[in-house]
Amino acid sequence: MINRRDFIKLASCFGISGLLANRLWDSQAQAADIRVRKNITVVSNDSEYIAAYRKGMTVMNSRPALDPTSWMYWANVHWMVPAVPEEMKNIWNQCEHGTDLFFPWHRAYIYFFEQILRDATGFEGFNLPYWDWYTDPVLPLVFRENENNNSLWHPRNKKINEGGSIDPGRNLERSCWGNDIQQLIGGSSFSSLLDENPHGEVHLRVGSGILDGSRGQFDMGNFRTSAKDPIFWLHHANVDRLWTVWSKMGGGRTNPSPTSKWSETPFTFDKAKSLQYVAGNLVDSEASMKYKYDNESPVPLAAPPIRPPVIASSGAPASAGGMTPMGTGHKVMSNVEPIKLALESGTVRMPIPAAQSNTLGMQVQGQSPTGKITSLVLYIEGIKLTSLGEEIGASYKIFLNLPTAPGADAYEAHYLGTINSFGLGVLSAHAEAHGSGGEKDKGITLSYSLLKRLAKLGAKGWDEKSIYISFVTPVELKVDGPLVEISGMRIESSDLPTE
């Protein structure tokens, strides 16, 4: 039977490029075989596999950046620090983060990278492993041993590279697995929630000092350079696996329609356009791409316990005397002045005017008041890292009306999202790439819809005088100053009809 190398040699005789020949081999010659990506813990003791992996890394690193079979080429496809060369525009710096295309783009990206790495290893049986950080939060040993003679070793947080856990408090987020998260894309969807945390959080904990207060940012913790770290690919293989897991859980969980604009979106990874996929053809990797994972079982929904945040008024409540009466559309219900966040948890109290409190209170408790509020949105404005935050990193889970002593059930019910320095870097990089880098000095503004969340909490989560927004850090540490500055927070309400 012809092997991959002979097939590629034969294809070259007919003028077919090596990249295209590799794809033809995987999609046609081996169409009947389903490749299996395994947990790194399963393959770590396979000396032949690990030797081939390290060889492939060395070979790819030896090639120039403009070579589509080189390590730097694929790192730059994700993002790069310098300006993109003219000939590589639309190929480099194209990563989809913080968008509805997060899952399909990365699935295609690591699929093609895996093919090139497999060829570089010279080992036909090579498939990219994954790192399941939910169940094993310690960086795999083969990625942190023998610093001077290991192509999988890379500079990272010192304690993590020495075997420390990236999840000592068992607080990597799991709210995205709730039974009420039934849409892949959109606001508060599986994609948007998982992208923030755990995805972005794992990046940050491996490549910054967020867990120990140490200074120094490493590639994995920086969106623009993260794909340079070999563990990036196992991290994203796991993220890819989790999309498959979620899709197979049923219970109303839904991927976009095959006829949607999302499904028709193309991704191209080389100038010859031989490395392409359309989003809709990426939903079922086993059917269309001929690979699966050795574990596609549901992730446990039980959330770890969290610490009660320190109740503190970090911002000064604005006067409610000038609030616009109900019936005139959008209005500011409450706002607070600038806030500074260190590596400690805290809660901001946002007073509610009495008239609006009565209306909102009736609604969230299932009653029907006159002048119904149709929209309630929290805006966290002007979010910027301080110089210390850039050195250490920053991460805060955001909760709505969190009890002073919450249990595990508080996760799904009160969790709004995560702000961390990795995600802020994503937003800044995309703003600069699209010509809005001038907004950098103003910081990032994030918004969260509160009305449905308050209704879900009902009377149990309601305070008639205030709304409380808590910022909870992964660890509580004393550092030399604030890591994040927020220019202000406001809650806007509306009684206008919704579409």
Side-chain angles (χ1 to χ4, degrees), residues 63-70 72-73 85 87-88 92 271:
R63 297 167 178 164
L66 290 175
D67 181 343
T69 67
S70 74
M72 282 307 301
Y73 178 95
E87 67 269 31
M88 298 311 297
W92 289 357
K271 291 190 292 183

Side-chain angles (χ1 to χ4, degrees), residues 79 426-440 444:
W79 212 267
V426 169
L427 295 172
S428 296
H430 280 283
E432 291 172 14
H434 292 90
S436 54
E439 299 294 309
K440 182 178 180 181
I444 301 295

Side-chain angles (χ1 to χ4, degrees), residues 11 48 51 71 76 103 226 232 250 281 345 347 363 378 415 486 496:
E48 179 186 12
W71 182 266
N76 290 341
F103 276 120
S226 58
F232 169 95
N281 293 336
S345 301
T347 296
Q363 280 184 234
L378 166 69
Y415 178 73
I486 296 172
L496 297 173

Side-chain angles (χ1 to χ4, degrees), residues 232-250:
F232 169 95
W233 303 94
L234 277 70
H235 170 44
H236 271 280
N238 193 48
V239 168
D240 182 70
R241 181 183 72 91
L242 295 178
W243 180 18
T244 295
V245 169
W246 181 86
S247 298
K248 291 186 174 184
M249 285 175 67

Side-chain angles (χ1 to χ4, degrees), residues 105-179:
W105 186 89
H106 282 89
R107 175 163 285 182
Y109 176 53
I110 65 174
Y111 173 73
F112 289 125
F113 170 84
E114 178 185 47
Q115 292 182 26
I116 291 166
L117 177 57
R118 179 182 300 126
D119 189 61
T121 67
F123 178 33
E124 176 57 32
F126 181 86
N127 300 311
L128 194 67
Y130 64 90
W131 175 28
D132 182 2
W133 20 255
Y134 269 141
T135 58
D136 189 3
V138 174
L139 195 74
L141 179 62
V142 294
F143 282 78
R144 52 186 175 81
E145 64 183 353
N146 303 326
E147 174 182 347
N148 297 320
N149 190 30
N150 179 7
S151 58
L152 299 177
W153 191 94
H154 200 77
R156 306 176 184 104
N157 175 277
K158 186 174 185 291
K159 289 186 178 179
I160 299 304
N161 254 353
E162 291 176 348
S165 172
I166 65 163
D167 196 16
R170 289 290 178 177
N171 52 21
L172 282 176
E173 191 53 49
R174 297 182 185 229
S175 62
C176 57
W177 298 100
N179 290 324

Side-chain angles (χ1 to χ4, degrees), residues 398-403 409-416 453 457 461:
I398 308 168
F399 292 92
L400 169 66
N401 289 353
L402 188 65
D409 62 340
Y411 259 65
E412 283 187 52
H414 298 268
Y415 178 73
L416 293 177
R453 185 67 65 183
L457 291 171

Side-chain angles (χ1 to χ4, degrees), residues 281-329:
N281 293 336
L282 294 159
V283 172
D284 188 339
S285 66
E286 185 172 350
S288 62
M289 306 169 83
K290 304 302 177 186
Y291 77 85
K292 63 181 182 179
Y293 291 93
D294 64 351
N295 181 358
E296 296 178 350
S297 301
V299 172
L301 296 179
I306 59 175
R307 302 170 310 282
V310 178
I311 302 299
S313 183
S314 299
S319 169
M323 290 293 170
T324 310
M326 289 294 291
T328 57

Side-chain angles (χ1 to χ4, degrees), residues 5 7 69 86 93 135 154 190 382 399 402 439 452 463:
R5 290 190 177 279
F7 177 79
T69 67
E86 187 65 32
N93 275 25
T135 58
H154 200 77
F190 182 67
F399 292 92
L402 188 65
E439 299 294 309
K452 288 183 179 179
D463 181 311

